């Protein structure tokens, strides 16, 4: 997820910077009156009176690129060295940037209705929509906003569940709690881990309520009804149109999800008993889904695997074996250390070794398409594993630190993860490198255009590659053993259904989750969800869209939305829903470009330079043109459409329908607080929003 980034979209925490990196940056407080043109490397506080719109855009691009490294450095520190000092630096950097952004937007108003090039007109539109963290005009409130934002992200990163109060040894952070959900099938152990993590966000509620008040004030200052309306204005469509578009796309895929939900409920009932395997109304128990937020069900493979004898597709076992082999080799290399230190040092060395090898393997897919290798600085500066000596934000993200550097020839790109040798992290690396290769492809563009065609594009790039990681590809790189045949070759459907099920547990299971988070925030921002109903509305929406529920009531003393990084990190989430549609469209287009003939689900374009050339051409356009045009150049059409999702999963949908015959599928959910589609914002023309550091 990202999430995962680079551009003016600078949201908050590693949330919106380059796929959007976060709301960081520098500014000088504007002073009244005109000023001479600034010296190189400085920031103009007001627009020179004789400056044209084209000159203004060129100046903002230069000023932004000059300030960007300081901005990203502060944000990187706050995510990889969590303490009061780094949070202060991040908060102040964000405060300076948002003040500067306000100044640029004010300066741009003098060009309204004036003649300018189409490129400059688009750049000014992007400027107005360039942050998910709209700054209030009041400097004191701006300072308060950035302080709260940095604090919430820091609280999330340092979150720890201590089962026994006062006993540090009983404390576990997110990664350890996720391991329980991943592999421990004890009902009570899973419930304890799930509830434990969801307890860490309780103190965020008050901060988040104030945060909403401040960003909404900033949105109104920019001419929007609320922050949700501002977010929905970044798609070359009106806010109402993009809301309706997400509803249309969900309608296309919902029948497939309902069949997967029905099958999963039956299997959980067989595993735990009907009384524990479902919640009243046919809902799935939140803590039994193998994932802290029920967004990916892949960890339930041992429960949901259709045909255990049709070939083992679990690459986690292979990755863990490779880790153990590395550990054994490292033990031999640590003979100079005291015996008490040898095991610990060998463990760290083996963790780093397998993490780098997993990343090198992901890089190999991109270079096989004709793309460049990652720069040497990537391998020197990336956070591959969780440090021993400090708290960090382990949530995976990709970063563009300098917008390509001087003349776009010295990019400083990085990823930030706490990699473990398992399938989930392996595919996440491919996803994050998609952001990185997008950065490098559009680094030659002016900074304001260094973003995805829209934010869903940025999230879809790496996942397009993940779709091409077919069983035969995984076998070719040594992660699957034994003979593999396609369904056509073997005449059997068992292996095909297994393969499709594994992909569906990641891709299809995610779709309603990708939709409901922003449905909740849109309601919070527009006031239809009141602060005293935050938690109820969250679970109402999860029940409505995902068909999941907690097994015990979660009252308003909890703040369960804050247990998902993107809420305290302020990363808009509709992008992830859209990306799960777009990636199948992109995948189909690249399979066509590679000349592939056959069932879509068996296509891998690994090593195909023709597909790579077409992909690179799309990436290089960034946000320089409306996304519809970019879409047409790659796929031949201008609409987002889920038909490729349905084509890909057609065999599985047919199989699921057969398996569910006689079952009462579907679920009943409590009435939700509505999150309106929102009317068009007349004050500002729609334009694509640049992305933020990519978050998964």
């Amino acid at each position: 997820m990202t999430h995962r980034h680079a551009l003016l979209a600078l949201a908050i925490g590693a949330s919106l910077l380059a796929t959007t990196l976060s709301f960081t940056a520098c500014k000088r407080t504007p002073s009244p009156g005109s000023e001479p043109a600034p010296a190189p490397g400085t920031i103009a506080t007001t627009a020179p009176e004789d400056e044209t719109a084209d000159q203004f855009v060129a100046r903002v691009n230069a000023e932004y690129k000059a300030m960007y490294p300081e901005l990203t450095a502060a944000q990187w520190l706050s995510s990889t060295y969590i303490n009061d000092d780094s949070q202060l630096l991040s908060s102040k950097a964000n405060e300076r940037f948002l003040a500067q952004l306000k100044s640029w937007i004010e300066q741009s108003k003098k060009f309204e209705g004036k003649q300018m090039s189409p490129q400059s007109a688009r750049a000014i539109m992007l400027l107005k929509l360039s942050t998910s963290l709209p700054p209030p005009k009041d400097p004191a409130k701006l300072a308060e906003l950035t302080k709260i934002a940095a604090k919430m992200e820091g609280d999330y990163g340092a979150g720890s569940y201590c089962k026994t109060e006062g006993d540090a040894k009983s404390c576990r952070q997110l990664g350890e709690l996720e391991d329980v959900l991943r592999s421990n099938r004890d009902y009570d152990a899973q419930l304890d881990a799930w509830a434990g993590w969801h307890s860490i966000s309780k103190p965020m509620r008050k901060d988040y309520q104030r945060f909403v008040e401040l960003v909404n004030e900033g949105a109104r200052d920019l001419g929007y009804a609320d922050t949700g309306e501002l977010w929905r204005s970044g798609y070359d469509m009106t806010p109402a149109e993009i809301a309706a578009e997400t509803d249309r796309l969900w309608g296309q895929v919902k029948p497939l999800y309902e069949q997967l939900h029905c099958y999963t409920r039956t299997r959980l009932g067989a595993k735990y008993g009907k009384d524990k395997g479902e919640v009243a109304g046919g809902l799935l128990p939140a803590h039994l889904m193998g994932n802290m937020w029920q967004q990916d069900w892949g960890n339930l493979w041992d429960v949901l695997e259709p045909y255990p004898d049709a070939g083992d597709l679990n690459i986690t076992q292979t990755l863990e074996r490779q880790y153990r082999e590395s550990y054994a080799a490292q033990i031999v290399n640590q003979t100079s250390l005291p015996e008490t230190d040898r095991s610990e040092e060998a463990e760290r060395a083996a963790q780093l070794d397998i993490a780098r090898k997993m990343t090198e393997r992901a890089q190999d897919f991109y270079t096989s398409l004709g793309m460049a290798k990652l720069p040497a600085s990537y391998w020197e500066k990336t956070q591959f594993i969780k440090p021993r000596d400090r708290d960090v934000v382990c949530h995976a993200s990709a970063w563009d630190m300098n917008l390509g550097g001087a003349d776009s020839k010295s990019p400083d790109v990085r990823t930030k993860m706490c990699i473990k040798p398992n399938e989930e992290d392996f595919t996440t690396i491919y996803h994050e490198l998609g952001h990185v290769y997008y950065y490098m492809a559009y680094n030659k563009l002016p900074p304001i255009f260094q973003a995805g065609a829209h934010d869903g594009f940025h999230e879809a790039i790496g996942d397009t590659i993940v779709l091409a990681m077919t069983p035969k590809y995984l076998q070719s790189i040594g992660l699957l053993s034994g003979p593999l045949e396609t369904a056509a070759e073997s005449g059997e459907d068992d292996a095909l259904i297994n393969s499709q099920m594994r992909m569906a547990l990641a891709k299809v299971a995610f779709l309603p989750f990708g939709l409901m988070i922003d449905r909740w925030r849109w309601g919070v921002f527009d006031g239809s969800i009141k602060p005293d109903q935050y938690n109820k509305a969250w679970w109402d929406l999860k029940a409505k869209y995902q068909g999941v529920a907690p097994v015990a009531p979660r009252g308003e003393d909890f703040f369960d939305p804050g247990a998902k990084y993107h809420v305290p990190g302020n990363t808009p989430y509709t992008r992830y829903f859209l990306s799960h549609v777009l990636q199948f469209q992109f995948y189909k287009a690249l399979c066509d470009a590679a000349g592939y003939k056959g069932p879509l689900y068996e296509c891998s374009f690994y090593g195909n330079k023709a597909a790579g050339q077409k992909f690179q051409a799309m990436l290089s356009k960034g946000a320089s043109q409306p996304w519809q045009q970019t879409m047409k150049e790659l796929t031949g059409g201008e609409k987002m459409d889920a038909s490729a999702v349905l084509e890909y999963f057609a065999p599985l949908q047919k199989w699921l329908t057969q398996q569910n015959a006689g079952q009462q599928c579907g679920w009943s959910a409590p009435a939700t607080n509505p999150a309106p589609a929102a009317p068009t914002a007349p004050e500002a023309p729609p334009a694509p929003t640049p992305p933020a550091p990519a978050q998964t």
Side-chain angles (χ1 to χ4, degrees), residues 172-201:
R172 291 174 291 173
Q173 290 193 309
L174 177 59
E176 297 167 287
L177 298 170
E178 285 184 303
D179 285 342
V180 175
L181 301 186
R182 179 179 292 115
S183 57
N184 189 332
R185 293 294 167 254
D186 180 88
Y187 182 93
D188 292 329
Q190 293 178 85
L191 180 58
D192 174 68
W194 181 87
W197 178 251
H198 282 72
S199 70
I200 67 100
S201 55

Side-chain angles (χ1 to χ4, degrees), residues 348-359:
R348 295 293 297 174
Q351 288 173 352
L352 182 58
D353 177 62
I354 189 65
R356 289 178 65 96
K357 286 178 178 176
M358 290 164 68
T359 307

Side-chain angles (χ1 to χ4, degrees), residues 250-401:
W250 171 236
Q252 285 185 274
V253 297
K254 184 179 179 182
L256 172 59
Y257 177 81
E258 288 176 334
Q259 290 297 319
L260 181 64
H261 182 282
C262 190
Y263 170 81
T264 301
R265 186 175 63 202
T266 300
R267 286 296 186 98
L268 288 175
K271 172 72 174 177
Y272 296 99
K274 188 175 176 64
D275 60 325
K276 291 185 176 179
E278 66 177 81
V279 182
L283 301 165
L284 301 176
H287 72 286
L288 292 183
M289 304 311 298
N291 176 270
M292 194 64 73
W293 310 280
Q294 310 84 52
Q295 69 182 67
D296 184 320
W297 302 353
N299 291 326
L300 292 184
W301 183 245
D302 57 309
V303 178
L304 302 179
E305 182 179 12
Y307 298 108
D309 298 325
D312 186 4
L313 298 176
N314 186 356
I315 66 174
T316 294
Q317 296 172 358
T318 305
L319 292 168
E320 288 176 341
R321 175 178 53 77
Q322 292 177 356
Y323 164 74
R324 290 192 297 270
E325 291 171 352
S326 178
Y327 174 79
Q330 295 295 338
I331 280 284
V332 174
N333 295 335
Q334 304 294 339
T335 54
S336 62
L337 293 174
E339 188 169 346
T340 54
D341 295 335
R342 287 176 61 188
S343 178
E344 184 176 359
E345 291 302 319
E347 180 182 15
R348 295 293 297 174
Q351 288 173 352
L352 182 58
D353 177 62
I354 189 65
R356 289 178 65 96
K357 286 178 178 176
M358 290 164 68
T359 307
E360 288 166 356
R361 175 52 64 190
Q363 175 189 239
D364 173 70
F365 200 118
Y366 290 89
T367 57
S368 82
L369 301 178
M371 299 181 185
K373 286 189 174 184
L374 297 167
S377 61
Y378 172 87
W379 302 100
E380 297 164 1
K381 299 177 179 180
T382 279
Q383 176 186 293
F384 291 102
I385 61 176
K386 189 178 188 301
R388 287 181 290 186
D389 60 343
R390 62 187 186 272
D391 288 327
V392 300
V393 176
C394 279
H395 190 91
S397 57
W399 301 60
D400 182 348
M401 303 297 292

Side-chain angles (χ1 to χ4, degrees), residues 36 60 68 70 74 189 224 226 245 256 268 287 300 333 364 369 391 401 450 485 500 524 552 560 585 608 637 650 666:
V60 170
Y68 194 80
E70 179 183 340
Y224 297 91
D226 58 74
E245 185 73 349
L256 172 59
L268 288 175
H287 72 286
L300 292 184
N333 295 335
D364 173 70
L369 301 178
D391 288 327
M401 303 297 292
Q450 289 194 34
E485 295 180 308
Q500 290 234 306
V524 168
D560 292 329
Q585 285 186 268
N608 190 283

Side-chain angles (χ1 to χ4, degrees), residues 424-437:
E424 185 176 359
D425 283 7
F426 186 62
T427 56
T428 296
I429 296 167
Y430 282 70
H431 171 91
E432 297 303 336
L433 289 193
H435 292 297
V436 170
Y437 275 96

Side-chain angles (χ1 to χ4, degrees), residues 9 22 190 242 316 326-327 339 379 417 451 532 556 591 655 676:
S22 134
Q190 293 178 85
I242 188 60
T316 294
S326 178
Y327 174 79
E339 188 169 346
W379 302 100
M417 291 183 64
D532 62 355
E556 295 303 323
C591 289
W655 182 86

Side-chain angles (χ1 to χ4, degrees), residues 75-90:
Q75 200 63 44
W76 178 265
L77 284 174
S78 74
S79 292
T80 58
Y81 290 81
I82 298 176
N83 57 41
D84 291 344
D85 293 333
S86 65
Q87 286 188 27
L88 176 62
L89 292 174
S90 173

